[in-house]
């Protein structure tokens, strides 16, 4: 699977987690918060470390800058979500905000960025998609600790 296919699959996986959230009993929702934070953190890591630097060569800079800003907004919402994951009312509100930002981000990325990258040689990213996923997975633990440490409250 090439890296663009991996990213699109991660989008589908995030959508499935949001969908699972809507149908999950309340006692499962704190765990779903963690799973969502891990999935989106790993995805953002891949994009920011490997994809966006390459994307700047084929997509205008402001579009990539906006995508990075959206990642920042999602990171802030993930941190908040982790801090309120046991408070049903606040958790629901934060998750709705996060889902709206993530859905818009994924749609724009699939429409404006990823199709242009699909035409590039796989070597443009410096590592194979499997190596990138492994490296991002290794970095995810540190990123999750940082998210939890920055959680308000």
């Amino acid at each position: 699977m090439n890296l663009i296919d991996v990213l699109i699959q991660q989008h589908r996986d995030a959508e499935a987690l949001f969908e699972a959230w809507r149908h999950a009993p309340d006692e499962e929702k704190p765990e779903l918060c963690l799973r969502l934070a891990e999935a989106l953190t790993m995805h953002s890591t891949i994009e920011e470390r490997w994809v966006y630097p390459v994307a700047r060569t084929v997509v205008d800079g402001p579009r990539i800058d906006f995508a990075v800003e959206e990642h920042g907004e999602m990171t802030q919402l993930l941190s908040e979500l982790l801090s309120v994951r046991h408070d049903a009312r606040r958790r629901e509100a934060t998750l709705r905000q996060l889902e709206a930002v993530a859905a818009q981000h994924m749609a724009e990325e699939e429409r404006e960025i990823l199709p242009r990258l699909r035409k590039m040689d796989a070597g443009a990213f410096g590592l194979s998609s499997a190596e990138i996923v492994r490296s991002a997975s290794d970095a995810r633990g540190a990123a999750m600790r940082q998210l939890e440490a920055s959680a308000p409250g």
Side-chain angles (χ1 to χ4, degrees):
M1 185 179 282
N2 73 38
L3 188 58
I4 304 310
D5 291 332
V6 168
L7 295 172
I8 291 170
Q9 182 58 53
Q10 288 177 335
H11 288 175
R12 300 298 81 79
D13 293 346
E15 291 166 349
L17 285 169
F18 284 117
E19 183 65 23
W21 172 274
R22 284 189 278 284
H23 302 289
D26 282 345
E27 63 271 9
E28 292 179 15
K29 289 187 175 185
E31 176 62 27
L32 278 170
C33 290
L34 292 172
R35 288 179 51 203
L36 193 56
E38 287 177 344
L40 291 175
T41 298
M42 184 167 164
H43 182 75
S44 292
T45 299
I46 290 171
E47 290 181 340
E48 290 176 15
R49 289 188 183 176
W50 290 279
V51 176
Y52 290 167
V54 172
R56 286 186 186 281
T57 66
V58 293
V59 178
D60 64 348
R63 175 64 240 148
I64 302 301
D65 293 340
F66 184 68
V68 171
E69 287 175 27
E70 288 174 324
H71 278 191
E73 187 176 356
M74 284 188 280
T75 298
Q76 181 181 4
L77 287 166
L78 285 169
S79 179
E80 184 177 334
L81 182 64
L82 291 176
S83 74
V84 301
R85 70 181 179 260
H86 296 290
D87 178 336
R89 183 184 56 77
R90 292 175 63 202
R91 180 182 64 212
E92 295 292 329
T94 303
L95 190 99
R96 278 195 300 275
Q97 284 182 286
L98 176 62
E99 183 175 21
V101 172
Q104 176 181 319
H105 176 77
M106 292 183 297
E108 289 173 354
E109 208 168 66
E110 288 184 27
R111 185 178 58 247
E112 299 176 22
I113 298 173
L114 298 181
R116 293 182 186 172
L117 294 176
R118 190 172 290 285
K119 300 172 189 167
M120 299 186 82
D121 179 77
F125 299 106
L127 298 171
S128 72
S129 54
E131 291 168 322
I132 288 171
V133 169
R134 252 190 317 279
S135 183
S137 184
D138 292 345
R140 178 181 53 199
M144 286 296 295
R145 286 189 295 281
Q146 184 177 15
L147 259 181
E148 289 175 329
S150 68

